[in-house]
Amino acid sequence: MALATVNPTTGATETIIEPHSPEEVEQRIAQSAAAARTLRTTTFAQRGAWMSAAADILDDQAEGLGELITVEMGKPIAQSVAEVRKSARSMRFYAENAETFLADQPLDDPSKVGASRAWTRYEPLGPVLAIMPWNYPLWQVIRFAAPALMAGNTGLLKHASNVPQAAMFLDSLFERAGFPKGSFRTLLIGSAEVAAVIEDRRVKAVTLTGSEPAGRSVAATAGKSIKKAVLELGGSDPFIVLPSADLTTAAETAVRARISNNGQSCIAGKRFIVHADVYDAFVAEFTGRMSRLVVGNPLLPETEVGPLATRAGRDELADLVEDARERGANVLAGGFIPEDSGYFYAPTVIENIPDDARLVMEEAFGPVASVYRAKDNADALRIANQTTFGLSSSVWTNDPDEEAWFIANLDAGAVFVNGMTVSYPELPFGGIKNSGVGRELAAEGIREFCNLKTVWKA
């Protein structure tokens, strides 16, 4: 089955790319395995030079790559260009810091273990398969590829089928920058073929960013093969607003948190939990701002919200809203599919969502904001922690005691105080509960796909 770029703004097919044959897949895995044997013998300085050169390519082509991303998955053009530049910054971060992150760690007093010296060292595993989503076609891949290659691993990419042009750009990026042939290879395959790649003895580990069902499937396959798996899955992040917060700033940030990437971000604020004392004021400000957003062609600079990436995703979002509405929820803004040719959905605010609505527990992947009235802080925490997800969270307060209490008690991989969740190469990223296992980015991310070897010397 061919892979296609279907422009979500128009619904038109832009490009069709044929998938790789079984023989081509075998060749690419073999290239990756051969490159792994070479790459592990290179120095951090050499890999850093190649990685910096790859970052230069991204910066030089940022405008064109931004347009490619927007055409393939629909995010506003300014956000697409920013994604390219963020990817380049992350590559430079690992080029500069990988050697420090993976330095040998000596035991302070080796005599305690009867040795003259004892230490641990990080060593690359070899080829790592990355199964990546369409919502950040470059950034999601680079935040795996940059640390993996700097550690001396090689990468195999199974990208989402609706961004094949981004996938093929990445296929050649690192080789163009100087990395040995095969250091990074794209596999144009379907989901049904992924298990065989994970099970291949030459593939040493797997990482996936995607849905919870996909994560369960990949983890089960990796588990049967006794291979490391890092999973970054869904999120339904709480955005908690308390009486001491700056409500205007909180509302302004809440809109950006909800509609960034057209609302298609795992770490977007999705559930807005507001203390009863400030609920009416915050929701009025928030709803007004959501209602005034400019929806349209994402290639135009004035557009704030573009289409969803796929028709299926748009229809699933509409079904979630309709289910809540039919069960008695109140739609304050939006809640409809505009009369456009593309996969648009109106920015939506919905309140009074009954407990049996799907929207309470399921992730809304699009510009739909659920708002909840919390009677007190304990109630806000209960609502925040009630889902099966635990990716990130945001809490808005100027009370130090409240801040400390929420930081300690929120079930999440991260807590952002008076700000929206953003991923940074300097900070570890990942979740708990059904949001996944393992960490990306920072020192923790580069160490995930390394063998931590203990050395003892008499």
Side-chain angles (χ1 to χ4, degrees):
M1 181 177 177
L3 293 82
T5 296
V6 178
N7 189 330
T9 303
T10 64
T13 299
E14 301 273 346
T15 303
I16 295 176
I17 299 178
E18 291 300 317
H20 288 136
S21 67
E23 293 76 19
E24 288 174 312
V25 171
E26 163 58 30
Q27 180 185 52
R28 285 167 175 265
I29 295 174
Q31 288 175 345
S32 182
R37 292 190 290 272
T38 299
L39 200 60
R40 68 182 296 130
T41 67
T42 60
T43 65
F44 284 106
Q46 180 63 80
R47 297 196 293 271
W50 293 332
M51 188 63 66
S52 296
D56 290 341
I57 293 172
L58 290 191
D59 275 334
D60 290 345
Q61 300 183 27
E63 299 297 327
L65 286 171
E67 184 171 339
L68 183 152
I69 289 171
T70 293
V71 169
E72 285 211 299
M73 57 73 59
K75 75 176 68 182
I77 185 65
Q79 294 180 31
S80 294
V81 174
E83 177 181 336
V84 179
R85 298 203 182 280
K86 180 176 183 177
S87 299
R89 288 196 302 273
S90 181
M91 294 159 81
R92 294 193 177 93
F93 171 79
Y94 278 108
E96 295 166 2
N97 292 286
E99 186 169 11
T100 299
F101 291 156
L102 300 181
D104 290 354
Q105 300 293 318
L107 187 66
D108 289 339
D109 185 358
S111 66
K112 289 184 177 180
V113 296
S116 64
R117 285 185 64 204
W119 70 97
T120 55
R121 55 182 282 126
Y122 292 97
E123 296 178 346
L125 297 179
V128 181
L129 173 65
I131 305 164
M132 292 290 120
W134 46 260
N135 56 337
Y136 294 93
L138 290 187
W139 168 238
Q140 291 284 174
V141 178
I142 292 300
R143 73 193 212 183
F144 149 74
L149 269 63
M150 283 303 305
N153 296 298
T154 55
L156 291 164
L157 171 64
K158 191 287 181 201
H159 216 329
S161 61
N162 60 320
V163 289
Q165 294 183 84
M168 291 312 296
F169 170 83
L170 289 159
D171 178 64
S172 64
L173 171 64
F174 295 100
E175 191 172 323
R176 290 167 59 194
F179 277 90
K181 182 178 180 179
S183 294
F184 193 89
R185 277 288 175 262
T186 289
L187 304 178
L188 296 179
I189 58 176
S191 298
E193 299 163 88
V194 168
V197 179
I198 298 174
E199 292 167 351
D200 192 297
R201 290 173 62 88
R202 294 166 293 184
V203 175
K204 303 304 181 184
V206 60
T207 180
L208 173 135
T209 297
S211 69
E212 184 181 335
R216 292 182 184 278
S217 176
V218 165
T221 304
K224 286 192 298 182
S225 299
I226 316 180
K227 293 180 181 180
K228 176 72 173 288
V230 171
L231 308 174
E232 195 267 278
L233 308 178
S236 190
D237 289 4
F239 189 107
I240 303 166
V241 182
L242 303 174
S244 64
D246 179 333
L247 295 187
T248 299
T249 303
E252 179 184 1
T253 307
V255 172
R256 287 192 287 111
R258 180 61 288 218
I259 60 94
S260 177
N261 212 45
N262 300 337
Q264 301 165 121
S265 172
C266 295
I267 57 170
K270 297 186 176 79
R271 296 178 298 131
F272 298 83
I273 303 164
V274 188
H275 193 286
D277 290 353
V278 292
Y279 181 90
D280 291 339
F282 174 85
V283 171
E285 177 80 11
F286 178 54
T287 302
R289 289 176 178 272
M290 288 285 284
S291 300
R292 294 190 293 272
L293 290 167
V294 178
V295 180
N297 184 346
L299 289 172
L300 299 177
E302 65 268 23
T303 295
E304 296 171 289
V305 182
L308 274 73
T310 66
R311 180 186 295 275
R314 191 273 311 277
D315 293 348
E316 171 66 15
L317 187 69
D319 287 346
L320 282 176
V321 174
E322 285 308 305
D323 173 77
R325 184 166 15 213
E326 289 171 2
R327 295 175 189 276
N330 182 32
V331 176
L332 299 175
F336 62 91
I337 297 174
E339 295 182 359
D340 291 289
S341 57
Y343 310 143
F344 293 89
Y345 195 80
T348 297
V349 180
I350 186 167
E351 67 172 355
N352 299 328
I353 305 168
D355 290 342
D356 60 349
R358 292 172 56 203
L359 198 54
V360 172
M361 290 295 180
E362 297 183 31
E363 180 180 21
F365 217 57
V368 171
S370 303
V371 291
Y372 295 85
R373 185 191 300 266
K375 60 186 178 182
D376 53 28
N377 288 0
D379 193 38
L381 183 70
R382 176 192 65 80
I383 297 168
N385 287 345
Q386 72 181 352
T387 75
T388 59
F389 295 113
L391 192 52
S392 189
S393 58
S394 176
V395 59
W396 290 74
T397 177
N398 285 304
D399 183 316
D401 293 335
E402 283 182 338
E403 174 186 317
W405 188 76
F406 276 98
I407 289 172
N409 290 288
L410 279 166
D411 294 338
V415 180
F416 279 64
V417 180
N418 296 331
M420 62 181 274
T421 298
V422 178
S423 59
Y424 298 96
E426 295 86 356
L427 294 174
F429 180 90
I432 60 172
K433 301 196 291 189
N434 290 4
S435 287
V437 292
R439 290 295 181 267
E440 298 176 294
L441 303 176
E444 290 77 6
I446 196 171
R447 293 168 181 165
E448 285 282 11
F449 297 117
C450 291
N451 172 31
L452 181 60
K453 179 181 286 184
T454 297
V455 184
W456 184 97
K457 182 178 179 180

